[in-house]
Amino acid sequence: MKINPLVNSELNILSIQVSLDGFSFYIHSDNSNEPIHAEHFAYKNVTTAEQALIEIQQLFENSAILHNSFSNVSVVYANELYTIVPKQLFDPKNLTDYLKFNTKILKTDFIVYDELESLDLINIYVPYTNINNFFFDHFGTFTYYHSQSILIKNILQDSTVSAEPQVYIQVGLKTFDLLIYEGKSLLLSNHFKYTTDADFVYYILFCLEQLALNPEEIKVSFKGFIDTEDSKYQLIYAYVRNVEIVETVEENQLNYAYLKYNLNL
């Protein structure tokens, strides 16, 4: 999605999203979040960070725009290598201990965390170190976050006090993020990979079951790569009756909410 030619690129901000599904970026000016230039590249047969780095290196070789100078560069990593911890239980000396219970990690993994101060939550995660090193060599200084930190912050800060839990699902082409929250309190956060509609529905119903939520009553909001004609939607609607689509793929092709630089994290 190419919007406008770059003008005074050194005054612009570059925001990047990295996952094992693809690579997205958009460029906007210091005083506006309106995209100046935006593109998305889907990978083929990529299952590891090493393979993703090869794809990214090729993209940079073929994209002159990424060789401009920018006032700020931010990178968002979207993966399942994370866990959320209440701030009052967090100790930065125990990062591995928090993460090892629900994520397969290696001794060589670099573990970091995002602090969601207004929500008293800590997101502990593993960025792709090899890709981080490539960006450092290319850009020098940059900031990076985990996509779930941004999603949780955006959803919970905008949420209203409710007596009932709410379910929010951000749908990607091969993955989706699911949040269950009540008011400003996070009840569950997870990232899933799916290949079939049945996988998609199973994971959602499983999460509802874990919190003893009635699929006939709970409100579920979808955003992203889904619409009412989608077979995933048709199948989930057979089990979950109170469903709404907040924003469809036509309006949200690159998941801009993940990429906006003004994150206030």
Side-chain angles (χ1 to χ4, degrees):
M1 177 172 152
K2 298 178 181 179
I3 302 180
N4 286 312
L6 285 176
V7 178
N8 297 325
S9 65
E10 68 276 5
L11 301 178
N12 293 327
I13 290 170
L14 171 66
S15 299
I16 293 171
Q17 180 173 293
V18 176
S19 73
L20 296 186
D21 295 335
F23 175 92
S24 304
F25 73 90
Y26 85 67
I27 298 166
H28 61 89
S29 67
D30 272 328
N31 55 13
S32 173
N33 272 329
E34 291 301 317
I36 295 171
H37 185 102
E39 292 190 52
H40 173 72
F41 303 89
Y43 303 146
K44 293 182 179 179
N45 303 318
V46 167
T47 58
T48 67
E50 290 72 25
Q51 293 170 334
L53 176 59
I54 293 172
E55 295 280 343
I56 291 171
Q57 288 171 327
Q58 291 175 345
L59 290 172
F60 272 69
E61 288 176 5
N62 298 323
S63 180
I65 199 169
L66 291 172
H67 292 269
N68 284 308
S69 296
F70 300 96
S71 63
N72 282 291
V73 176
S74 62
V75 177
V76 176
Y77 287 102
N79 61 30
E80 73 279 13
L81 307 176
Y82 76 94
T83 190
I84 307 296
V85 176
K87 187 175 182 178
Q88 59 268 32
L89 301 178
F90 176 70
D91 185 336
K93 298 177 183 179
N94 299 326
L95 297 182
T96 300
D97 293 330
Y98 295 122
L99 204 54
K100 69 183 181 181
F101 292 109
N102 64 350
T103 301
K104 184 179 180 180
I105 56 176
L106 305 175
K107 290 183 179 180
T108 55
D109 281 338
F110 178 52
I111 303 174
V112 295
Y113 61 91
D114 294 334
E115 186 171 352
L116 286 71
E117 294 183 1
S118 62
L119 300 170
D120 290 328
L121 297 173
I122 305 292
N123 183 8
I124 304 161
Y125 65 99
V126 179
Y128 297 127
T129 306
N130 60 334
I131 298 175
N132 240 18
N133 291 338
F134 171 75
F135 290 146
F136 181 78
D137 291 339
H138 187 83
F139 297 115
T141 303
F142 66 96
T143 55
Y144 59 93
Y145 313 95
H146 193 272
S147 62
Q148 205 72 6
S149 301
I150 302 169
L151 183 62
I152 290 170
K153 179 175 177 291
N154 288 344
I155 297 303
L156 266 64
Q157 282 196 341
D158 292 340
S159 66
T160 56
V161 176
S162 173
E164 300 296 331
Q166 307 290 314
V167 181
Y168 176 94
I169 299 174
Q170 175 83 45
V171 184
L173 293 175
K174 298 178 183 178
T175 62
F176 69 91
D177 296 292
L178 183 147
L179 301 182
I180 301 179
Y181 57 96
E182 187 173 347
K184 305 293 183 181
S185 299
L186 181 67
L187 305 180
L188 185 148
S189 169
N190 218 327
H191 175 93
F192 297 98
K193 297 178 181 178
Y194 69 93
T195 55
T196 67
D197 295 346
D199 294 337
F200 182 80
V201 173
Y202 170 79
Y203 292 134
I204 295 171
L205 294 178
F206 178 78
C207 290
L208 298 182
E209 181 183 18
Q210 295 306 299
L211 295 182
L213 299 175
N214 187 346
E216 292 286 332
E217 298 176 356
I218 190 71
K219 180 181 179 181
V220 179
S221 300
F222 289 98
K223 185 176 182 179
F225 291 88
I226 190 169
D227 59 36
T228 56
E229 302 302 317
D230 194 309
S231 56
K232 296 189 297 296
Y233 177 86
Q234 299 294 334
L235 186 57
I236 191 65
Y237 188 70
Y239 298 92
V240 181
R241 308 303 299 177
N242 190 4
V243 180
E244 68 170 354
I245 296 179
V246 178
E247 190 175 16
T248 65
V249 61
E250 289 80 14
E251 300 169 325
N252 190 35
Q253 292 181 4
L254 299 182
N255 294 325
Y256 289 136
Y258 280 174
L259 294 173
K260 287 183 180 177
Y261 178 78
N262 188 21
L263 307 176
N264 297 316
L265 287 176

